[in-house]
């Protein structure tokens, strides 16, 4: 069939099975580009056997031997490394699922649908399985993230994704989810992003979407709220969204669109007054309430500017410029894009602008695979195209802290890891850096890989520390010559804010007041870059290590940089002695970093009031079993809240690392924490997954599955190096 706007809408529907054959899945890692492949053919499967890492990720039996029980911290570290080494991928990096957010798959499935992208059966089947597995056990809905309570955002969007994949509306999970959605008021009460996706799908009408005018991209740079000043994730999502919004592009009406119009709302579709429900939102979705200022602006744009003023020439200029910026983003990342939200959206923009046959559309289509991950529950979409550089840098550092870099047993593993980091260093700035408002990146590392190519202050720092230490260890090659190290430092030195702190991708470019324009409702603190104790610490410690090896280079700038950064760390401490963590949950995470910062300039429990208060705070939260435990709710509410499932190895490791860094005088406290960590280690050396570890934007959680290896190894290793490898169990 050919639809009204000339696109073919006839795409074969996937055939959904109960599940796929897990012995057929393989992870391919090509220089840090990770994609999963399903080998239908027996011959192919034989030629490309499953690795231990594949089996581990898929939850298949591993047949690894039991190791001698660990009695001392170093024995535990060695058992842990024995296991973790099996998970190292061929190019030298570590990888893992990076799930948590529950709003990513629906955007992808919607994009696939509206761009007439065929979805292979094995992929549709496993996405369906994942979404079913992650439905809330009680009400059958979905939340913003895997541990959250059901929201309209999660439920309306994931329900839609399942229907687009071909799940029947009368299927038992679907009936339950729909009931929950209706109890919350239906999709009319969805937040902005959901209204956007549903409108382009044709399930809502565009009038229900608060304005996303691309005209903002035409504002001169000096305007205090111009988009180039926003946090990069917001402006890079705003960009394609504004393009689609401006075009009011809509998928042709298909039977599934009609069905969803019936299913997602409590009232008949034709009775809904779209324009008057732009601000309708379900209470639990409304984490960050819109300000009166923003609501007024929206009202004026929607009711005055859009219908009566908006001249066509301006629309054209704005759309053209927005599209140009989309193309630059695509070019600079080879279509990997910054993240899993703007990736599919840019894909859609290319489809709209250039048509289904364009190279850009084809390349975007291929790149979607980089975000996917298969685990026992099914297939999910990762929060980035992987955790490659980040987890690899931390792993090297953990082995270093355990004093094991010279142990021949780990030489091969560490050399490969170093080779990976060498390969992933960004050697040049992006083209047209100023035009697309990008930060300098020469010499930097990112969080995932070089294709994605976004430098982050702490990713540069952690990678740099790993490289510096290994390259200075006898027996390791110098793969990165001095000039490349200096490039990294030059870039790193661009990251300090006037406050002294460091943010994530860029120094802060605008005022905190911009939060008044936060329209996403479901996230907090998203509009600009903020100072983070985590990022600042990473930079400080990287600079310190660098100066140790290269005392001359830019020394007169590094010293004051560090002083200002430490002053910020002190200022960021809460009166109770804690620090708020923005990227890990929550106070144990930030506490570890902040105490590390202070330790790096010689402050310890003995000589520093800040350290004393920081340690006392942590110690006051130690549980009777010796562990620490934090719930994601602490991130939302900015107070320490324990996780109901008890002590967690990851948070226990974070707290212990902070205390060890600080020379906390009562060693028994630390030993009790380490004992808990050791007692949770399995016979084959692994630790099992516990509660979720990471966070972003205060309200959305994200998994860091390798942290359960990295941080216990680091904590135990640091203890052994500092106090000796004494018997603990
Ligand atoms: C990440 C992942 C890594 C993280 C650290 C390096 C740990 C942090 O110290 C700095 C910020 C950074 C790079 C970060 C920023 C926001 C990300 C990219 C994420 C939490 C992973 C997913 C998240 C991204 C915004 C998800 C897509 C959602 C949107 C709201 C656009």
């Amino acid at each position: 069939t050919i639809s009204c706007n000339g696109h073919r809408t006839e795409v074969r529907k996937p055939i959904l099975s109960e599940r796929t054959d897990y012995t057929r899945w393989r992870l391919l890692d090509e220089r840090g580009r990770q994609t999963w492949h399903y080998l239908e053919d027996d011959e192919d499967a034989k030629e490309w056997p499953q690795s231990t890492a594949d089996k581990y990720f898929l939850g298949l039996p591993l047949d690894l031997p039991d190791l001698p029980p660990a009695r001392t911290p170093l024995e535990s570290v060695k058992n842990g490394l024995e296991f973790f080494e099996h998970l190292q991928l061929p190019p030298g990096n570590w990888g893992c699922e990076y799930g948590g957010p529950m709003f990513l798959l629906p955007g992808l499935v919607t994009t696939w649908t509206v761009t007439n992208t065929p979805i292979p059966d094995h992929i549709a089947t496993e996405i369906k399985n994942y979404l079913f597995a992650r439905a809330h056990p009680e009400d059958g809905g979905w939340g913003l993230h895997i541990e959250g309570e059901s929201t309209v955002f999660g439920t309306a969007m994931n329900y839609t994704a399942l229907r687009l994949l071909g799940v029947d509306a009368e299927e038992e999970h679907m009936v339950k989810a729909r009931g929950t959605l209706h109890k919350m008021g239906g999709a009319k009460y969805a937040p902005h992003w959901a209204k956007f996706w549903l409108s382009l799908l044709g399930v809502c009408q565009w009038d229900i979407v608060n304005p996303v005018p691309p005209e903002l991209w035409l504002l001169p740079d000096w305007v205090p709220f111009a988009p180039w000043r926003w946090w990069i994730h917001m402006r890079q999502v705003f960009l394609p969204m504004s393009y689609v919004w401006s075009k009011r592009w809509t998928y042709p009406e298909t039977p599934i669109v009609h069905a969803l119009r019936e299913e997602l709302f409590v009232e008949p579709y034709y009775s809904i007054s779209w324009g008057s429900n732009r601000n309708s939102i379900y209470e639990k979705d409304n984490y960050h309430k819109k300000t009166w200022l923003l609501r007024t602006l929206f009202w004026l744009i929607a009711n005055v500017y859009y219908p009566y003023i908006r001249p066509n020439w301006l629309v054209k200029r704005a759309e053209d410029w927005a599209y140009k910026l989309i193309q630059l983003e695509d070019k600079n990342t080879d279509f990997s894009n910054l993240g899993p939200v703007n990736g599919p959206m840019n894909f859609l923009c290319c489809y709209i602008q250039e048509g289904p046959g364009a190279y850009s559309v084809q390349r975007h289509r291929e790149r979607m695979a980089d975000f996917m991950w298969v685990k026992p529950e099914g297939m999910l979409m990762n929060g980035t195209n992987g955790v490659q550089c980040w987890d690899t840098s931390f792993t090297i550092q953990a082995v270093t802290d355990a004093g094991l870099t010279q142990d021949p047993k780990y030489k091969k593993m560490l050399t490969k890891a170093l080779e990976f980091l060498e390969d992933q260093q960004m050697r040049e700035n992006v083209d047209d850096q100023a035009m697309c408002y990008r930060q300098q990146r020469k010499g930097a590392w990112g969080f995932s890989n070089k294709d994605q190519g976004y430098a982050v202050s702490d990713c540069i720092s952690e990678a740099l520390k790993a490289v510096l230490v290994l390259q200075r260890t006898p027996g390791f090659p110098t793969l990165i010559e001095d000039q490349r190290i200096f490039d990294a430092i030059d870039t790193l030195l661009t990251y300090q804010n006037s406050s002294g702190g460091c943010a994530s991708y860029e120094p802060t470019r605008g005022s905190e007041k911009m939060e008044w324009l936060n329209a996403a409702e479901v996230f907090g603190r998203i509009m600009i870059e903020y100072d983070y104790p985590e990022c600042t610490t990473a930079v400080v410690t990287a600079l310190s290590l660098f100066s140790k090896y290269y005392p001359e280079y830019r020394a007169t700038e590094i010293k004051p940089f560090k002083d200002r950064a430490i002053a910020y760390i002190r200022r960021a401490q809460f009166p109770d002695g804690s620090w708020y963590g923005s990227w890990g949950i929550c106070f144990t995470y930030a506490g570890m970093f902040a105490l590390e910062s202070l330790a790096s300039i010689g402050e310890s429990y003995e000589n520093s009031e800040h350290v004393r208060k920081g340690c006392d705070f942590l110690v006051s939260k130690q549980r009777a079993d010796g562990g620490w435990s934090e719930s994601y709710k602490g991130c939302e509410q900015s107070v320490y809240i324990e996780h109901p499932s008890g002590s967690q190895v990851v948070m226990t490791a974070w707290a212990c690392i902070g205390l060890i860094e600080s020379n906390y005088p009562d060693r028994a406290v630390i030993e009790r924490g380490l004992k808990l960590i050791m007692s949770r280690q399995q016979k084959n050396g692994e630790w099992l997954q516990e509660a979720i570890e990471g966070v972003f934007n205060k309200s959305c959680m994200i998994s860091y599955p390798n942290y359960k290896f990295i941080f216990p190894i680091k904590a135990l290793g640091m203890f052994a190096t500092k106090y000796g490898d004494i018997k603990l169990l």
Side-chain angles (χ1 to χ4, degrees):
T1 50
I2 305 279
S3 73
C4 46
N5 51 4
H7 298 141
R8 289 198 136 261
T9 54
E10 202 181 47
V11 171
R12 187 182 73 83
K13 274 242 164 298
I15 300 166
L16 295 171
S17 326
E18 205 158 298
R19 59 175 300 173
T20 59
D21 174 358
Y22 265 43
T23 65
R24 294 182 184 276
W25 286 102
R26 310 282 186 277
L27 176 68
L28 178 67
D29 187 344
E30 303 158 290
R31 295 180 68 185
R33 180 188 186 198
Q34 299 168 171
T35 48
W36 281 91
H37 300 263
Y38 191 65
L39 309 183
E40 314 243 16
D41 185 280
D42 290 340
E43 277 308 303
D44 293 348
K46 234 183 266 154
E47 255 166 55
W48 180 3
Q50 274 183 325
S51 66
T52 305
D54 290 335
K55 290 184 193 160
Y56 173 78
F57 297 137
L58 294 164
L60 299 174
L62 298 181
D63 315 317
L64 294 178
D66 285 355
L67 303 170
R71 301 275 169 246
T72 69
L74 267 193
E75 286 168 9
S76 177
V77 165
K78 288 180 180 165
N79 286 357
L81 285 173
E82 180 79 34
F83 186 89
F84 200 42
E85 184 167 2
H86 290 293
L87 306 188
Q88 189 179 28
L89 298 167
N93 67 298
W94 277 263
C96 57
E97 82 147 288
Y98 194 37
M102 286 307 292
F103 57 91
L104 302 178
L105 278 173
L108 174 67
V109 174
T110 303
T111 303
W112 275 338
T113 304
V114 303
T115 57
N116 295 316
T117 301
I119 309 177
D121 300 340
H122 55 273
I123 291 183
T125 296
E126 291 307 341
I127 293 180
K128 169 210 63 163
N129 287 342
Y130 181 76
L131 293 181
F132 281 164
R134 283 300 174 179
H136 195 283
E138 275 139 44
D139 61 25
W142 292 268
L144 184 64
H145 57 90
I146 55 174
E147 290 198 14
E149 295 167 71
S150 296
T151 59
V152 175
F153 192 18
T155 309
M157 293 304 295
N158 287 298
Y159 181 93
T160 300
L162 284 162
R163 294 287 284 125
L164 295 176
L165 291 171
V167 179
D168 195 275
E170 294 319 310
E171 209 274 349
E172 127 196 51
H173 294 86
M174 301 298 275
V175 174
K176 194 172 168 192
R178 198 162 62 236
T180 295
L181 178 62
H182 288 185
K183 258 192 229 129
M184 296 185 285
K188 206 169 86 176
Y189 292 92
H192 187 231
W193 287 16
K195 284 172 170 155
F196 168 83
W197 285 115
L198 293 174
S199 297
L200 76 85
L201 192 58
V203 175
C204 288
Q205 290 187 13
W206 276 107
D207 282 343
I208 202 172
V209 183
N210 269 321
V212 198
E215 288 90 318
L216 286 187
W217 288 103
L218 299 175
L219 290 172
D221 287 352
W222 56 262
V223 174
F225 54 88
W228 72 277
R229 301 175 184 275
W230 305 0
W231 186 44
I232 194 154
H233 277 282
M234 285 308 117
R235 69 173 194 261
Q236 293 298 54
V237 169
F238 178 85
L239 176 66
M241 210 182 218
S242 69
Y243 176 86
V244 179
W245 176 85
S246 184
K247 297 224 175 269
R248 290 195 157 211
W249 186 89
T250 310
Y251 180 59
E253 290 182 24
T254 59
I256 188 69
V257 170
H258 281 281
L260 284 166
R261 287 176 178 177
E262 301 278 308
E263 294 161 29
L264 291 187
F265 304 101
V266 180
E267 55 281 90
Y269 174 82
Y270 285 102
S271 73
I272 297 175
S273 156
W274 303 98
S276 49
N277 282 294
R278 273 196 295 272
N279 294 312
S280 303
I281 181 160
Y282 180 60
E283 186 53 34
K284 281 192 187 147
D285 285 76
N286 205 8
Y287 179 74
H288 181 101
K289 298 188 177 47
K290 292 189 292 300
T291 51
W292 64 265
L293 172 72
L294 184 61
R295 285 206 308 271
T296 311
L297 286 172
F298 277 157
W299 190 90
L300 287 172
I301 298 173
N303 296 294
V304 183
Y305 176 72
Y306 192 88
Y308 302 115
I309 303 176
R310 201 171 188 235
N312 284 335
W313 63 266
L314 187 63
V315 174
K316 176 151 183 0
R317 265 189 65 185
E319 286 177 2
D320 287 350
W321 178 230
Y323 195 72
K324 174 78 191 163
L325 291 173
I326 289 170
Q327 285 180 308
L328 289 175
E329 156 78 351
D330 285 347
K331 175 171 154 240
N332 288 330
T333 61
D334 186 11
F335 298 85
S336 293
N337 298 131
L338 174 63
V341 180
N342 84 323
M345 282 186 187
N346 277 16
F347 175 4
L348 173 60
C349 293
C350 291
Y351 181 87
I352 296 172
Q353 177 75 25
E354 297 176 33
Y359 170 76
S360 60
V361 171
Q362 178 202 326
R363 189 71 180 141
H364 270 303
R365 224 171 237 148
E366 289 164 10
R367 280 299 192 181
M368 293 301 118
D370 302 24
F371 289 108
M372 310 311 287
W373 196 267
V374 191
K375 63 180 294 196
E377 294 160 334
M379 182 180 252
L380 62 117
M381 188 175 194
N382 282 340
T384 56
N385 59 342
V387 301
Q388 298 85 333
C389 288
W390 184 249
D391 281 12
T392 305
S393 307
F394 270 132
T395 302
I396 296 175
Q397 292 185 49
V399 181
T400 309
D401 287 328
L404 294 176
T405 42
Q406 301 225 51
D407 187 326
K409 198 165 167 7
Y410 306 110
K411 182 147 180 206
K412 188 165 151 248
M413 171 180 96
L414 293 173
T415 307
K416 291 221 74 169
L418 177 63
E419 283 165 4
F420 181 78
L421 290 181
E422 187 280 325
D423 186 46
Q424 294 297 318
Q425 188 184 24
M426 299 169 211
R427 307 289 296 276
E428 297 300 336
N429 290 326
V430 300
D431 294 341
D432 309 307
Q433 176 175 301
M435 200 202 289
C436 52
Y437 309 110
R438 288 283 303 260
Q439 171 75 7
Q440 167 178 339
R441 68 163 197 188
K442 187 170 181 182
W445 282 269
F447 180 75
S448 59
N449 63 21
K450 189 175 167 178
D451 283 354
Q452 190 254 13
Y454 276 89
V456 186
S457 67
D458 56 351
C459 300
I460 306 172
S461 305
E462 300 299 354
L464 190 62
K465 283 192 273 176
V467 167
L468 284 174
V469 168
L470 270 194
Q471 294 203 151
R472 295 290 171 140
T473 304
F476 286 92
T478 298
L479 300 180
I480 303 190
E481 75 263 12
D482 287 354
Q483 187 52 51
R484 287 170 64 183
I485 304 274
F486 298 153
D487 290 343
I489 292 293
D490 292 346
T491 290
L492 203 52
L493 288 175
T494 66
Y495 271 92
Q496 191 164 42
N497 286 321
S498 54
S499 60
C502 296
S504 60
Y505 297 81
E506 292 155 351
T508 307
R509 296 173 172 186
S511 145
E512 198 169 342
K513 296 208 177 74
M514 217 110 82
E515 226 47 72
W516 293 349
L517 303 181
N518 173 353
E521 294 139 336
V522 294
F523 304 120
R525 278 167 62 98
I526 53 171
M527 290 306 289
I528 55 161
E529 283 274 12
Y530 291 91
D531 297 325
Y532 302 109
E534 301 98 305
C535 300
T536 309
T537 297
V539 178
V540 165
T541 51
L543 291 175
S544 297
L545 188 69
F546 169 78
S547 304
K548 209 173 106 190
Y549 296 129
Y550 304 88
E552 310 283 298
Y553 191 76
R554 297 190 68 175
T556 51
E557 288 147 275
I558 290 177
K559 168 90 175 66
F561 184 117
K562 278 170 48 185
D563 292 345
R564 286 195 304 264
I566 298 283
Y568 153 74
I569 296 277
R570 292 198 184 104
R571 273 200 322 274
Q573 189 171 30
F574 286 2
D576 65 3
S578 66
W579 284 269
Y580 177 81
S582 294
W583 307 111
I585 303 171
C586 178
F587 294 91
T588 43
Y589 185 67
M592 164 179 76
F593 282 104
L595 291 170
E596 199 189 340
S597 261
L598 297 173
S600 79
I601 54 150
E603 289 199 14
S604 67
Y605 194 87
E606 214 181 60
N607 63 17
S608 155
E609 184 60 24
H610 288 277
V611 175
R612 216 159 20 241
K613 283 180 78 178
C615 290
D616 290 346
F617 174 85
L618 287 177
V619 174
S620 74
K621 303 295 180 193
Q622 190 174 32
R623 295 160 51 87
D625 62 5
W628 278 261
S629 153
E630 282 195 80
S631 154
Y632 72 83
K633 298 213 157 106
C635 305
E636 292 174 350
Q637 299 169 29
S638 300
V639 284
Y640 192 101
I641 300 176
E642 280 195 4
H643 198 280
S645 65
S647 293
Q648 308 285 318
V649 288
V650 171
M651 286 143 196
T652 305
W654 290 339
C656 288
I657 293 170
L659 295 174
I660 298 170
E661 289 278 5
S662 309
N663 282 334
Y664 186 69
D666 184 358
R667 245 172 63 185
V669 168
I670 304 169
E671 287 174 14
R672 290 200 297 129
L674 298 183
K675 277 184 198 163
L676 178 111
I677 294 175
M678 287 170 69
S679 70
R680 296 266 173 100
Q681 192 172 29
Q682 308 296 299
K683 294 203 170 98
N684 61 7
E686 76 174 306
W687 281 275
L688 302 179
Q689 184 59 38
E690 299 176 341
I692 200 159
E693 307 86 354
V695 58
F696 59 92
N697 304 349
K698 295 197 83 175
S699 59
C700 192
M701 306 306 133
I702 187 157
S703 307
Y704 286 81
N706 287 335
Y707 281 6
K708 62 181 174 284
F709 296 101
I710 292 168
F711 290 104
I713 289 173
K714 180 168 166 128
L716 292 161
M718 280 175 76
F719 181 90
T721 338
K722 189 155 181 170
Y723 301 111
D725 193 28
I726 58 174
K727 192 161 173 282
L728 284 183
L729 278 192

